Amino acid sequence: MEQIISKSYDEMVATYTRTLANFYPARGSTGFTEANQVHIYVNALIKCLDDDRVVSWLEFPWADKKQHIDGFVFSPKHKSVFFIEAKRLSHKKKKQEIIHDITRLHHQDKTFLQDNGVYDYENEYVIALSDVWLETRWKRSMPEWWCGLDKVP
């Protein structure tokens, strides 16, 4: 599965490269919305899973119904579910928000999946996406933090 996830990331990067070579979907440094990150990644993951029964959903309701998961993919072929969260790291509180998003996905009670027809899976994956515009010193430090080189949240 590591190869599929890696390939899906490469596919997402290729999509961004193609898009940005022909079209700039932002005004100045406004960035790209989280929804676009999730949409592009989910499409890349689906392509790489090569599963004609794969299902996906954006803004999938979480267990308490007040929250959502940015993206959800279920691959019957691989017996795997993927929880995708995205965050635009535009200010300091976003670091804690992405940590919170990832932590809540480790919730042990996944009965809401069965409630939505997802039964036969063996593996769960959390995919966290982000983008950051390197305009300030703090923002330029985000790639190190994201890659785990800076252990302070």
Side-chain angles (χ1 to χ4, degrees):
M1 186 54 67
E2 186 176 327
Q3 288 178 332
I4 290 172
I5 292 171
S6 181
K7 186 177 174 186
S8 68
Y9 177 78
D10 292 342
E11 181 68 28
M12 178 184 73
V13 169
T15 299
Y16 269 109
T17 300
R18 278 190 313 276
T19 300
L20 297 175
N22 299 294
F23 173 69
Y24 188 76
R27 293 181 183 230
S29 63
T30 58
F32 312 129
T33 64
E34 294 169 9
N36 283 295
Q37 288 182 61
V38 175
H39 170 73
I40 291 169
Y41 182 74
V42 165
N43 286 336
L45 180 60
I46 289 170
K47 179 178 179 179
C48 295
L49 286 167
D50 190 30
D51 180 351
D52 61 356
R53 296 184 306 140
V54 71
V55 295
S56 66
W57 202 257
L58 302 181
E59 305 287 322
F60 182 70
W62 187 244
D64 69 5
K65 299 178 188 172
K66 294 178 186 175
Q67 300 177 37
H68 68 273
I69 300 164
D70 291 335
F72 173 79
V73 175
F74 169 50
S75 171
K77 174 181 175 180
H78 297 281
K79 294 185 181 243
S80 297
V81 294
F82 300 83
F83 303 108
I84 298 134
E85 284 291 333
K87 195 68 65 189
R88 181 163 182 249
L89 298 174
S90 55
H91 46 81
K92 293 182 181 181
K93 77 175 190 169
K94 295 291 186 172
K95 284 172 78 171
Q96 289 299 6
E97 288 178 11
I98 194 70
I99 291 168
H100 177 266
D101 287 347
I102 293 167
T103 302
R104 74 185 168 96
L105 292 173
H106 288 284
H107 190 276
Q108 295 301 312
D109 180 11
K110 299 286 190 334
T111 56
F112 69 94
L113 289 174
Q114 289 83 28
D115 294 344
N116 288 285
V118 177
Y119 300 100
D120 191 20
Y121 71 95
E122 297 171 3
N123 305 297
E124 297 178 15
Y125 299 92
V126 174
I127 308 290
L129 307 171
S130 75
D131 80 73
V132 63
W133 293 82
L134 304 176
E135 305 161 308
T136 66
R137 185 172 169 230
W138 178 81
K139 289 179 180 182
R140 286 188 296 274
S141 74
M142 287 300 90
E144 274 189 10
W145 174 77
W146 190 260
C147 293
L149 303 173
D150 171 11
K151 300 295 183 201
V152 180

